Amino acid sequence: MPETIKLDATQTTDIEKAASLLLAGHLVAMPTETVYGLAADASNEQAVRKVFEAKQRPVGHPLIVHVASPERIRYWVDRVPEAAEKLINTFWPGPLTLLLPKKSDVSDFITGGNPGVAVRMPAHPATVATMEKLGRELVAPSANPYGRISPTTAEHVLGGLSGKIAAVLDGGDCSVGIESTIVDLTGETPVIARPGQISQSDIEACLGITLAPGKGASQVVPGSVKRHYQPVTPTVGVATDQFARLLPEITPSGERIGVIWWQSAPGELASESIMLSADPNEYARMLYTAMHSMDQANVDRIFIELPPRESRWLAVHDRLGRACTEQFG
């Protein structure tokens, strides 16, 4: 494949170019408010197959269909329950994906052979404009090699997929920084299948109900594998209340270490260090960028100071639990 080209999301001509490439069956990385997505025309099965090839993603792992307007989900979804309408009216466009009963003709390559299809309307204007120009929906899993750190800049995309995709539409840094919340609406009661910025309390307030704790999704959803979002460099998570005490004890002698922290400064122990925010949403926005930076910093091991075990940090803990090869505390 020719070299991956970089397009400018602020230029109408580049948005038109992205739409033309997608219409021709090529892959284009697109900016969203969550992470950059590897987009393909969702109605073109051959293009959808290319997503799996470029990412080295296992076939059978479902994809999310991205729409330019709520009305477009009728092409993919068999029925829209009242709960879905409430959530759409409240949170779309935005970082919320809904798992709904699929139409019979929706490709198994998109759903992983499951009866539900995941749909969402992203909030980035350039991606919505590209879909409007294309007149079709996009599948768009994170634009990175499977299992690795999701990209939050165009440079992250090129670092992992350059030469494997046609283009990346550069829309700047992602404003949310972690993947969308997924709510499973295929059963009798809603279930949060993947946590994200939109929290359980947000969902409950919108629907006027209390969600059953611990209830699992009806099917596999994106990002649900045990090891995911991982740097190439071995990565260790350490509980914040033990971080200052444990870090000197568990740091291997002679290794260069990179430390991502938010409360306990590592001092001279760290060859490289990055401080994150004490606010959950800001921590999440910064997290993948920090992990990418550390992965390129020529360190032997990455240590991450884990945030508190509180409900407002649930989405961050979900991502870190899959990214870390080992955890303490």
Side-chain angles (χ1 to χ4, degrees), residues 41-243:
D41 177 355
S43 63
N44 180 341
E45 187 167 296
Q46 186 175 2
V48 173
R49 288 173 184 254
K50 290 180 183 178
V51 170
F52 290 90
E53 294 167 6
K55 283 178 60 69
Q56 296 183 302
R57 182 186 179 100
V59 173
H61 201 61
L63 305 171
I64 296 172
V65 175
H66 293 63
V67 299
S69 69
E71 294 74 27
R72 296 289 300 185
I73 68 173
R74 65 188 176 90
Y75 295 105
W76 302 90
V77 169
D78 184 55
R79 58 183 175 83
V80 182
E82 182 183 356
E85 292 179 355
K86 288 181 179 179
L87 292 170
I88 287 168
N89 290 335
T90 303
F91 297 113
W92 279 15
L96 179 67
T97 295
L98 302 179
L99 188 62
L100 296 165
K102 74 178 185 71
K103 283 190 174 293
S104 59
D105 59 350
V106 175
S107 170
D108 284 345
F109 274 95
I110 292 174
T111 66
N114 291 300
V117 60
V119 292
R120 97 171 180 100
M121 182 181 177
H124 200 291
T127 295
V128 173
T130 301
M131 287 190 285
E132 289 174 341
K133 186 71 179 176
L134 181 65
R136 301 181 186 183
E137 283 65 61
L138 299 173
V139 294
S142 57
N144 56 280
Y146 181 72
R148 294 305 178 191
I149 314 165
S150 299
T152 54
T153 69
E155 286 69 30
H156 295 162
V157 175
L158 292 171
L161 295 178
S162 182
K164 297 181 180 180
I165 63 176
V168 55
L169 185 64
D170 187 355
D173 294 357
C174 298
S175 60
V176 173
I178 61 171
E179 297 77 6
S180 60
T181 305
I182 300 179
V183 178
D184 182 355
L185 295 171
T186 59
E188 292 183 5
T189 57
V191 174
I192 294 181
R194 180 178 73 185
Q197 186 188 69
I198 296 173
S199 67
Q200 177 173 325
S201 59
D202 295 330
I203 302 298
E204 291 176 335
C206 175
L207 299 181
I209 62 172
T210 300
L211 302 183
K215 185 174 173 60
S218 65
Q219 63 184 58
V220 174
V221 298
S224 60
V225 294
K226 184 177 181 180
R227 291 287 173 241
H228 212 34
Y229 319 116
Q230 291 194 324
V232 174
T233 309
T235 301
V236 180
V238 184
T240 184
D241 59 350
Q242 301 178 49
F243 192 77

